[in-house]
């Protein structure tokens, strides 16, 4: 019987065979198949201090590109991953053993991911959250409305939210496709921004309005970094999957927790 996945990245999880073998495989594959254009690494906090990295979501290749960059910068990243991945024979056991954080969407355990991510960040580890929770549905692949999970984690841990934009993983694996397209060689363009300004929100009741504002700032920060990578301005409105179109940015940032 498969053991239950850990509720948070246990101490030393990044030193386990499962974690080291996984990150080693990612490094080897990404170094072989892709070129790298990494910008803004000076904005990353010191490893071991605990941080939340928030990135846009455009491809199944996203976690590999993000992990490659963060590990090269001295971080041992942990990702929020759908709980269904933990049930895959062999692979699920490896994901659990490597300390990744399971997300139980739409179940009675939906709050577990939040609790586990908070514990992981408070232990000094780096947690990666993609606030959109799924691939962007924007027709031009700009970040869409974010969910409030990352903001909740930031408010609970008093750790910085670091925005990261990526552009290129969608060329390696098209959005919502498992098909690898290694030729011609793709460039993984990653840009890290300074911490999202949330200081004025701390110390206030954590209600829907506060989380909505914090989430809007997070998505704005990611979008601003992506504008630099793409060399073009983003639309003035943000895509809202609930209505299937772009709407004014601030009022739309009222998604769920994960």
């Amino acid at each position: 019987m498969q053991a239950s996945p850990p509720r948070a990245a246990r101490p030393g999880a990044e030193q386990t065979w499962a974690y080291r073998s996984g990150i080693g495989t990612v490094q080897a594959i990404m170094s072989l198949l892709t070129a790298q254009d990494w910008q803004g690494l000076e904005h990353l906090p010191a490893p071991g201090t605990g941080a939340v990295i928030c990135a846009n979501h455009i491809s199944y290749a996203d976690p590999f590109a993000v992990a490659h960059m963060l590990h090269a910068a001295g971080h041992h990243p942990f990702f929020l991953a759908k709980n269904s991945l933990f049930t895959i024979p062999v692979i699920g056991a490896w994901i659990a053993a490597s300390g990744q954080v399971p997300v139980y969407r739409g179940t009675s355990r939906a709050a577990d991911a939040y609790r586990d991510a908070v514990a992981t960040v408070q232990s000094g580890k780096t947690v990666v959250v993609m606030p959109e929770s799924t691939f962007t549905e924007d027709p031009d692949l700009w970040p869409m409305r974010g969910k409030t999970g990352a903001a909740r984690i930031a408010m609970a841990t008093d750790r910085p939210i670091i925005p990261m934009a990526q552009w290129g993983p969608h060329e390696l694996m098209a959005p919502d496709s498992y098909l690898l397209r290694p030729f011609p060689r793709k460039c993984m363009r990653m840009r890290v921004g300074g911490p999202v300004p949330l200081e004025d929100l701390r110390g206030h009741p954590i209600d829907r309005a506060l989380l909505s504002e914090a989430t809007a700032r997070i998505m704005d920060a990611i979008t601003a970094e992506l504008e630099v990578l793409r060399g073009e301005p983003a639309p003035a409105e943000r895509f809202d999957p609930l209505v299937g179109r772009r709407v004014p940015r601030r009022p739309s940032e009222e998604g769920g927790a994960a």
Side-chain angles (χ1 to χ4, degrees):
M1 180 178 296
Q2 181 178 330
S4 297
R7 289 192 169 183
R10 59 188 181 278
E14 68 276 13
Q15 298 303 322
T16 64
W17 176 87
Y19 191 99
R20 288 186 287 107
S21 65
I23 200 68
T25 300
V26 168
Q27 286 181 299
I29 292 176
M30 296 303 289
S31 295
L32 177 66
L33 296 183
T34 69
Q36 293 78 44
D37 177 8
W38 296 339
Q39 306 171 22
L41 299 187
E42 68 275 9
H43 293 301
L44 290 172
T49 58
V52 182
I53 308 294
C54 287
N56 57 313
H57 201 0
I58 53 178
S59 167
Y60 283 118
D62 294 347
F64 305 107
V66 172
H68 187 204
M69 190 202 76
L70 288 176
H71 194 267
H75 287 259
H76 300 292
F78 290 87
F79 290 79
L80 270 65
K82 291 186 294 187
N83 70 299
S84 59
L85 297 177
F86 289 79
T87 65
I88 301 173
V90 181
I91 294 176
W94 169 78
I95 294 174
S98 67
Q100 305 308 309
V101 181
V103 177
Y104 301 90
R105 293 175 185 158
T107 73
S108 59
R109 299 186 63 186
D112 288 0
Y114 162 74
R115 181 202 62 221
D116 301 346
V118 167
T120 300
V121 174
Q122 288 178 330
S123 72
K125 301 184 186 304
T126 299
V127 169
V128 179
V129 181
M130 295 178 180
E132 296 159 280
S133 276
T134 187
F135 305 129
T136 179
E137 297 177 28
D138 184 271
D140 297 318
L141 299 185
W142 289 102
M144 64 179 182
R145 185 191 68 167
K147 294 184 179 294
T148 59
R152 291 175 186 272
I153 297 168
M155 293 296 114
T157 61
D158 200 31
R159 299 300 206 280
I161 289 277
I162 305 298
M164 174 188 296
Q166 54 181 336
W167 194 244
H170 64 298
E171 297 176 343
L172 185 63
M173 297 180 76
D176 207 18
S177 170
Y178 290 107
L179 180 63
L180 187 66
R181 303 182 297 184
F183 304 108
R185 197 179 196 203
K186 310 302 191 299
C187 183
M188 302 296 101
R189 305 182 64 203
M190 321 290 288
R191 183 176 174 87
V192 182
V196 178
L198 299 174
E199 291 75 14
D200 60 312
L201 302 181
R202 300 188 189 278
H204 295 281
I206 302 178
D207 56 18
R208 181 174 180 176
L210 183 144
L211 292 173
S212 179
E213 173 62 24
T215 302
R217 295 184 190 184
I218 293 168
M219 299 312 299
D220 285 347
I222 295 172
T223 302
E225 301 303 328
L226 186 57
E227 287 180 318
V228 177
L229 281 184
R230 294 179 57 167
E232 58 181 314
E237 299 181 321
R238 194 181 314 285
F239 190 90
D240 184 344
L242 293 180
V243 298
R245 58 183 174 84
R246 290 173 177 163
V247 299
R249 289 191 185 184
R250 294 286 166 157
S252 72
E253 308 295 345
E254 297 178 356

